[in-house]
Each structure stands twice: as structure tokens, then as C-alpha cells.
Amino acid sequence: MSKTPDSGKAEDDEPSTVEQYLVKDPERFALNMARMIEQAGKAASAWAEPREKGDVRDHVAEPVVDMVKTFSKLSEYWLSDPQRALEAQTRLFSGYMTVWANAIQRTSNAAEATEDAVKPERGDKRFLDPEWGRNAFFDFLKQAYLVTSRWAADLVEHADGLDEHTRHKAGFYVKQVANAISPSNFILTNPELFRETVASNGENLVRGMKMLAEDIAAGKGDLKLRQADYSPFEIGRNIATTPGKVVGRSDVAEIIQYDPTTETVLKRPLLICPPWINKFYILDLNPQKSFIRWAIEQGHTVFVISWINPDERHGTKGWEAYIREGLQYGLDMVEKATGERDVNAIGYCVGGTLLAAALALMAREGDDRIKSATFFTTQVDFTYAGDLKVFVDEEQVAAVEKSMSEKGYLDGTKMATAFNMLRSGDLIWPYVVNNYMRGKDPLPFDLLYWNADSTRMGAANHSFYLRNCYLENNLSQGMMELAGHTVSLGDITIPIYNLASKEDHIAPALSVFLGSKYFGGKVEYVMAGSGHIAGVVNPPASNKYEYWTGGTPTGDFGEWIAKATDHPGSWWPHWQSWIEAKENTRVPARKPGKHMKTLGDAPGTYVKVRV
């Protein structure tokens, strides 16, 4: 009897054969194993050499200690009550007995179908190979793993004695461990990997170890996991290609003005403040996906802040410097280039958080140049700040600060790894298997090229962000100190367009919704479909996803969603209508360099500095 793909069973009755797992050419296999060991030695050398020279200092113990402490608290809850501990052990034992009984039944009667003790979640691609279902050994491994990982997740969910932060961390760490120990990650426990290794006589492992050595060398002693073939892409050639000029350059930012494509433009220029944790060209990946190009086509005179990739020189540059030398410097350049003081502004992610803090400071100082603000997946209140909050408590922040004090910055690979861990099942382990066990080069993908183009975090900037936002939540509580002022979001009375994404794991839609109430003016809350990137970078021509609009973002979030209006496609035209409703005066198009000297072509020089 056939089974559905979700169960991991084969869709046909073809039996599993032992021959496909037997080495056909032992001599060649042995030779390739020797070559693999040689490449593994090169990988080990690439890891060890920078440590021997003192260029790299490991801080692996710190997160491991935090994980052990978290699991200790979880264990304490379950073991403190014998009855509770017995019930937990009984649930696990019962699951194992079901798996064992299924295995015995299948061995004794291969023609009779058995129901899995537990099935993979819908969309889980790890167990799609038919052998996970029709081979008794691999089926047993799969079910035992799923029973164990589900049981561990349930322990966290039902540990009523844990505080919310510890529960959040425990759930996150359980997921990381579960993803890491999946049988799909190992040669001998993954039928597909096993077959490929035998069929190629181990050549896949030789290629994989060679790639591992290359990636450790590229990470200067740390693994820089390649998620795509980056070679076809070049910034300014086929990435970030919208024409424009650099019209200003400070110590922390370049200001880019883009060429118009319409005869007339909106009177108010548009200044975009992207995150410095990633590079701005996520909004200009290619002509089809570029929000910047689309905004220009709608008649905006677009300016973008391109942040410096900081080094030792920028270690003391905090948020005030990024506001003065980045955001307000950008406003100065807008005025110099166009003669306009009134500006529409956009902030994306942490760039939006900086924009919100800057607006609160500017309100105290009487700087009213920004007339409307749009926030893309931006948090101003960090009560429900998503999985990144796992990495933030006093001990972990102090450890990060200690690490940054050595160089004046946090290595970009550290932040890249943290973001990848938020979706390790999609962004880490599939690439580990494909690259280092299958020995296959990943395919070209512009989004993953951008994702790998990581930036360093300046020490003062990053410390201020972690403490004032994630750790102490000072911005929404009106306790953030900037330039001698205690700033308040309530002082921001300009119109706000607050965009969230439904499946965002970095700035959850609930968090963005709750943050809306702290602004002093009217807020248009919009929730896009998909996640932190795809929900924002969703051009109308793609006709993908959807977005929701509704009333004032107050009260219960679930009730707001239930009453919201569902619109198919991109939210971009809705935002354009919102902008034009505030001010729709048109003037002749402005070309970069007409009123000032330019400093080079877009996308500038700062964006090309790599880690």
C-alpha cells in the first residue's frame, strides 16, 4: 500500500535493495577517503592557523554556557517533581515503543503498511527520499528522531515554571539542537547521501572537504557558509544598478541621489534610511525587484543612505553620530541638491528604529524637515521582539561588548551566523549537506549573495542598540538618552506608515503593531504577506502575496486582523497612494549634480567594502 509524501513513505511498493549501499570499487573508494582526509587536514589548518597567530579568539564557550544554563533550568522544572518527571519519561518511552513495534511489524510483514508514530511537518523537505519510508533502518531512524525532537519541544512548551525569556531561549536552543542532530545531516544515516557516496566512490566527500577548507579560509578561521554561487554577481554591474550619483560622503555614510525617469517629480524628495546590519541594495537587487527603481518611476526624487562598513576607526561612533553624520547629513544633502527642506523618509528594520529615535530627537531640537515617515518591518517597542531576543540578556550583551572591545567592532560573520540560526533548518543545514557532504556547488541567487555580504557592527553603535532596545526597551518607554535629551516617541506627530510582515521572525507583526501606539500622530498600520525580506521586496508586477489594511492599530492584534481588509498582491501602490494623499505637488525632474559637485556613480564606494 502506498503512502503520502508527507509521511516519508514511498509512493510505490518497490522494495529497498541492499546492493545500492555497497561499495563497488573498494580500491577507488579507499583512495578517495585518503584524499578526503587530506582536504580535511587543510580545513583544520585553515581553522587553526589564525588562532595560532592570535588573529582569532574563540568565544564559543559563552553561547554554549548560556545554552547549558537554560537547559539546566528546564531540567530543574521537570525533575523537581517525581510525578511530572515520570509522566515526561513515559511519553517518550511510549513514542519509542510505537516506533519499535512498527519496525518489528514491518520486518515480519513487509507487505503490510504501518502508521508512523509521528510524521514530518508539512513542508519538511528532509525526508522526501522514498528510502526514508521503504527501508526499515532509515524509517526507524526518522521516526525515532521525530519522536525525540517533538518530545523535547513539548517539554519546553509545557514547562509552566519557566519565565518567558528562559522559555523562549529553551525553545530556540531545542530547535537548534534538533536541527543539528537530524539523521538527514549525516552520511550513514541519510539514504540519499549514503547512495551518492557509494555511487561516486566517495568523490563527493573529497569535493565537500575541499569546499569546507575554502569556506573556513574565506572566513579567516571561521566557517563562512556559502549559500549560493557568488561569482556571477558584482555590485554596480548586475547588482544595485539603478543609475545615480554619490552627492555626499561623511565618516559613516554616503548619500546617493538617483537619476529621474519621469519629466516631473513629487515636490517632496524621498530619503531612505536602510539598516547598517545589512547593505542597502536589498532595495535595489535588480531592475525587476528594485523598490528604489520603482519609486523613481512613480515620481520620487530618491536619496539613499549607504552606511560605512565600520572598522577600528568607527568603534566610538554611537547612535548620535549615526543620526548627525548619517540621517541629518542626508537631509542636508537633500536640501543642497534640490532646495527642498520638506522630505518624506523611509526607515527599514534597525534603520527604521534609528529613524524613529532621530525623529524624537529632532522634535526636541525643532528640526521639522521630515514631514512623513514610513517604517518597513521596524520595531520601536521590543517587548515581543522575536527570536533575536534569545541572544540578549545582561550576560550575553556583556560578552558581546567584551568581544567588540578588542577590535572596536563585531565581525560580520557573527551577525550573519546569528541571523542564519533564526532559520537554521533553511539557511544552515541544507547548505552543510549540499556543500560539504554532497560536494555540490550551490546555484547563483542574488538574494543570498546579498545575505552573505555581511557588515561589521561598530562597538558603540551595536552596544547602544542592544542595551537601549532589546535589553532595556528604552525607546518606547521614553527613557532613551540622545544628545543630552531624553527622547519620546510621543513627540513624533507627523503621519506614519507602519509596515509589518505576517511571517517576520526578526520584527514580528505583533511587535510592530504594538509599537504603533507610542507615536504621537496618526499611524497607518499595514501587514504584508511573507517575511522580513519578501514581504517588503514585493514588486507589483510579481503579483505575489497579499497585504492587510484596517483601522487604528490599537487593542487586540488578533481582533485587528479579523476585521482587516485583505488585498491581493503588493502593498507598494497602497503606500504610493498614501504618500500622494499627503502631498502631491509636482515639479520638474531633478538631475544629480545640477546644484552641487558629485563624488562618483551609484552605488558608491562604501557598499563595496567587504568583510
Side-chain angles (χ1 to χ4, degrees), residues 178-198:
N179 286 340
I181 66 172
S182 170
S184 60
N185 295 336
F186 305 98
I187 298 289
L188 298 180
T189 57
N190 181 327
E192 194 171 5
L193 288 176
F194 203 147
R195 290 197 308 271
E196 289 182 11
T197 302
V198 169

Side-chain angles (χ1 to χ4, degrees), residues 112-150:
E112 185 177 342
T114 57
E115 188 68 23
D116 285 352
V118 61
K119 295 180 181 180
E121 294 181 1
R122 184 175 296 277
D124 189 341
K125 299 177 181 179
R126 294 175 297 178
F127 305 108
L128 295 180
D129 188 274
E131 286 288 279
W132 287 110
R134 66 189 177 201
N135 183 292
F137 172 71
F138 293 116
D139 185 56
F140 179 84
L141 287 176
K142 176 197 70 179
Q143 291 192 57
Y145 162 74
L146 291 174
V147 164
T148 306
S149 57
R150 298 278 174 84

Side-chain angles (χ1 to χ4, degrees), residues 17-33 187-188 191 193-205:
T17 59
V18 175
E19 286 76 12
Q20 61 185 325
Y21 300 110
L22 298 179
V23 174
K24 306 298 189 299
D25 188 343
E27 184 176 345
R28 187 177 172 192
F29 186 84
L31 178 60
N32 282 328
M33 290 302 97
I187 298 289
L188 298 180
L193 288 176
F194 203 147
R195 290 197 308 271
E196 289 182 11
T197 302
V198 169
S200 70
N201 288 299
E203 289 183 3
N204 57 316
L205 300 182

Side-chain angles (χ1 to χ4, degrees), residues 418-489:
F419 279 111
N420 285 338
M421 285 178 67
L422 300 182
R423 293 173 55 204
S424 61
D426 296 322
L427 295 177
I428 295 180
W429 294 109
Y431 296 101
V432 169
V433 170
N434 184 76
N435 299 357
Y436 310 134
M437 297 183 193
R438 284 179 155 174
K440 293 184 177 180
D441 288 313
L443 299 174
F445 189 15
D446 54 6
L447 178 60
L448 290 178
Y449 173 89
W450 167 84
N451 188 58
D453 192 6
S454 53
T455 58
R456 294 178 286 260
M457 301 293 106
N461 184 332
H462 200 49
S463 176
F464 187 92
Y465 177 49
L466 293 177
R467 288 195 172 277
N468 280 270
C469 296
Y470 277 95
L471 192 59
E472 299 170 2
N473 202 16
N474 287 334
L475 181 57
S476 66
Q477 304 309 306
M479 296 188 295
M480 180 178 281
E481 299 283 342
L482 280 170
H485 297 277
T486 302
V487 299
S488 170
L489 295 175

Side-chain angles (χ1 to χ4, degrees), residues 494-517:
I494 60 174
I496 300 293
Y497 189 99
N498 208 11
L499 177 79
S501 290
K502 185 179 181 181
E503 300 168 16
D504 197 336
H505 57 285
I506 295 173
L510 170 62
S511 183
V512 177
F513 178 86
L514 294 178
S516 300
K517 69 180 181 182

Side-chain angles (χ1 to χ4, degrees), residues 160-181:
D160 299 330
L162 294 182
D163 63 90
E164 196 55 39
H165 183 57
T166 300
R167 183 197 303 278
H168 192 178
K169 288 202 296 182
F172 179 82
Y173 288 139
V174 163
K175 185 185 297 183
Q176 299 308 312
V177 173
N179 286 340
I181 66 172

Side-chain angles (χ1 to χ4, degrees), residues 6 33 82 102 108 164 197 203 231 243 249 260 291 341-342 428 440 471 473 490 500 548 603:
D6 280 344
M33 290 302 97
N102 287 351
S108 60
E164 196 55 39
T197 302
E203 289 183 3
S231 60
R249 182 179 294 123
F291 175 83
R341 291 193 80 258
D342 294 355
I428 295 180
K440 293 184 177 180
L471 192 59
N473 202 16
W548 291 262

Side-chain angles (χ1 to χ4, degrees), residues 533-569:
I533 302 300
V536 174
V537 184
N538 181 26
S542 297
N543 197 28
K544 293 172 65 176
Y545 311 128
E546 54 196 331
Y547 67 96
W548 291 262
T549 60
T552 304
T554 56
D556 181 76
F557 181 50
E559 292 180 3
W560 185 93
I561 292 177
K563 297 177 182 178
T565 303
D566 184 354
H567 309 270

